Amino acid sequence: MKLRGEPEPLLIRGGRVIDPAQGIDAEMDVLLGDGVVRQLGHDLEADGARVFEARGLWVVPGLIDMHVHLREPGEEWKEDIASGTRAAAAGGFTTVVAMANTRPPVDDASMVNSILARAAEKAVVHVLPVGAVTRGLEGKELAEMGDMAEAGAVAFSDDGHPIADAEVMRCALEYGHTFAKPIIDHCQEPSLTRDAVMHLGYWSTVLGLRGMPAVAEEIMVARDIMLARLTGGKVHIAHASTRGTVDLLRVARTEGLPVTAEATPTHLCLTDRLVHDTAYDTSTKVNPPLRAAEDVEALRRALAEGVIEAIATDHAPHHRDDKEVEYNYAAFGISGLETALPLLLTELVHTGIIPAATLVERLTAGPARILGLEAGSLRVGGCADVTVIDPGLEKSVDPDRFYSKGKNTPLAGRKLRGWPVLTVVAGQVVMREGGVLA
């Protein structure tokens, strides 16, 4: 990372510490020093330490986003590692997992090394690369998974492109199993989604737009679960979005299969009606599409019950030229790093749908567990990645103030309550009161 110098000791005093990995939900002090968590307790003292008063605030492990598109290399006008990681810091994230569908894609060890080198030079949060499953993301021939795992890839995915060939997916799961790395799949049967731009349902009919049926996702989820049962390989379902997918995940969980899933804040909080209510605003165009209300309700239940173990933004920044066109021609994707936490707090926690501790778990320990990371907790001796949240802070979303180059959000002007106010990465303060310092 670009951070310079040794971090000074920092005492975060009197906040509500929520650390689900340790079963902690109590007012405490947190002392950081030498880049690690030094002490948790009451009335801590540390000579020479800076003090951050956190009374009334939540102190949680640094948030982990296991699904981010940083666009570098190849599309730096949309985003790059510098801007994307600053957006992450502004949003309270201390770790981002970068997808492989860059240009060229990350499909060999040299590309993994390149991402890590660029991150060391320009990033302000931890960047963990994902390697492609197949060469060129073409879905035909497996990429050099072993070499990429050795170089530092934490998972494999052709995200943005479904792995349509079942035999390729079977082989990928077997190889991934060898390295104990999950295969993250963008589940979508392409023959059912060709030229479609939103969810197939009532609102697509009203609007006259070609829709993606929910079953297009569910067919692939069912196939992946069967292949996980056959191979023992770990499959992770990216951006789960339908009620049927949730039903399938419950079956996999009942059987104890190595199948996990994430949901995005977008799919947990917004419905396809928004396309109508915003008069075809292309910022609502995302893949998988915004779904119906019953799908959103099913995702929320699954999140609360742990059937869905992680929340990930699928941060997909685009240049305005990609969005300021007719709906049918607009690019898919929402810039989500800087609005994820306040959206989730506003829609899920402040409404009583899920407890604060559950939300924190799905943003910290959950993704860490799926990826096998030593992160997502404030354990003494662990890396000093910390996020402090003001649950009562209310602000309107202003895309012009985003650190991300992608201003594409359907939340512009919306008031949200509960924003991060401090982001600490390896003991270094990188964001304070919404301003990124590094």
Side-chain angles (χ1 to χ4, degrees):
M1 294 182 294
K2 190 183 178 182
L3 308 178
R4 297 286 185 261
E6 292 297 319
E8 299 175 2
L10 175 65
L11 177 61
I12 302 174
R13 189 156 60 192
R16 176 187 171 187
V17 176
I18 305 173
D19 184 357
Q22 297 191 86
I24 295 174
D25 189 344
E27 287 191 2
M28 304 176 75
D29 302 335
V30 180
L31 178 62
L32 313 177
D34 298 324
V36 301
V37 178
R38 285 292 178 198
Q39 207 171 353
L40 296 177
H42 302 281
D43 302 320
L44 298 182
E45 297 290 343
D47 292 340
R50 293 169 297 155
V51 176
F52 182 87
E53 295 290 352
R55 298 188 193 285
L57 308 179
W58 298 353
V59 181
V60 307
L63 307 184
I64 300 168
D65 190 342
M66 64 178 296
H67 190 151
V68 168
H69 298 276
L70 293 178
R71 306 298 192 201
E72 184 177 355
E75 294 181 308
E76 286 85 350
W77 67 91
K78 294 184 177 184
E79 193 78 288
D80 57 28
I81 289 173
S83 62
T85 58
R86 281 161 178 76
F93 291 94
T94 58
T95 300
V96 295
V97 175
M99 288 292 134
N101 61 336
T102 50
R103 296 184 180 182
V106 181
D107 63 358
D108 62 30
S110 68
M111 288 297 297
V112 173
N113 288 326
S114 174
I115 295 295
L116 291 171
R118 292 168 194 246
E121 181 184 353
K122 300 193 290 185
V124 298
V125 305
H126 306 292
V127 175
L128 304 178
V130 167
V133 175
T134 65
R135 293 183 188 274
L137 306 173
E138 294 179 346
K140 298 176 182 176
E141 182 183 359
L142 289 183
E144 299 171 1
M145 296 170 63
D147 289 346
M148 288 192 286
E150 189 173 340
V154 296
F156 301 100
S157 180
D158 279 3
D159 184 60
H161 304 268
I163 302 173
D165 189 308
E167 173 63 7
V168 171
M169 186 64 177
R170 182 186 72 82
C171 292
L173 285 167
E174 288 181 341
Y175 278 113
H177 190 39
T178 303
F179 314 118
K181 305 288 185 187
I183 306 299
I184 302 173
D185 198 15
H186 180 130
C187 289
Q188 206 165 66
E189 170 48 53
S191 63
L192 292 172
T193 59
R194 193 171 297 122
D195 300 326
V197 295
M198 70 173 293
H199 173 63
L200 177 66
Y202 174 80
W203 291 111
S204 66
T205 303
V206 168
L207 295 168
L209 294 174
R210 185 173 176 82
M212 300 185 195
V215 71
E217 176 175 306
E218 295 153 6
I219 286 171
M220 295 291 266
V221 172
R223 183 205 67 175
D224 284 357
I225 290 172
M226 292 178 187
L227 291 173
R229 184 186 293 124
L230 174 68
T231 64
K234 295 169 65 176
V235 63
H236 177 76
I237 309 301
H239 37 55
S241 71
T242 79
R243 182 173 56 179
T245 290
V246 168
D247 291 341
L248 292 163
L249 291 169
R250 287 187 199 285
V251 172
R253 192 173 186 84
T254 301
E255 292 188 38
L257 297 175
V259 179
T260 56
E262 70 193 31
T264 75
T266 300
H267 294 100
L268 287 163
C269 299
L270 307 177
T271 72
D272 59 342
R273 177 173 179 152
L274 193 61
V275 185
H276 169 270
D277 292 351
T278 60
Y280 298 89
D281 179 357
T282 58
S283 290
T284 63
K285 186 176 176 182
V286 62
N287 188 8
L290 300 178
R291 297 294 189 182
E294 56 265 32
D295 296 305
V296 173
E297 178 60 29
L299 290 176
R300 291 177 172 188
R301 282 200 305 273
L303 185 76
E305 296 167 3
V307 174
I308 291 176
E309 298 178 49
I311 299 173
T313 66
D314 191 10
H315 174 71
H318 286 290
H319 189 268
R320 57 186 298 178
D321 290 349
D322 299 310
K323 285 291 193 178
E324 293 181 359
V325 294
E326 292 177 39
Y327 205 89
N328 282 334
Y329 303 111
F332 290 99
I334 290 174
S335 180
L337 279 168
E338 290 166 82
T339 56
L341 185 62
L343 179 62
L344 292 163
L345 283 166
T346 301
E347 295 292 333
L348 301 185
V349 176
H350 292 321
T351 54
I353 292 172
I354 62 171
T358 300
L359 178 69
V360 172
E361 202 279 342
R362 305 297 185 257
L363 287 164
T364 57
R369 184 171 56 249
I370 292 167
L371 295 170
L373 306 178
E374 292 186 5
S377 174
L378 296 173
R379 286 190 180 88
V380 172
C383 187
D385 293 341
V386 185
T387 302
V388 181
I389 301 164
D390 183 342
L393 178 61
E394 187 173 84
K395 293 194 296 185
S396 295
V397 175
D398 181 358
D400 289 336
R401 297 177 67 85
F402 281 2
Y403 284 89
S404 172
K405 294 180 182 179
K407 314 300 180 187
N408 46 303
T409 174
L411 303 174
R414 186 164 171 175
K415 281 190 176 179
L416 301 176
R417 184 161 64 95
W419 293 76
V421 294
L422 189 76
T423 305
V424 182
V425 179
Q428 295 271 19
V429 175
V430 297
M431 185 278 285
R432 184 165 183 160
E433 307 295 343
V436 176
L437 306 177

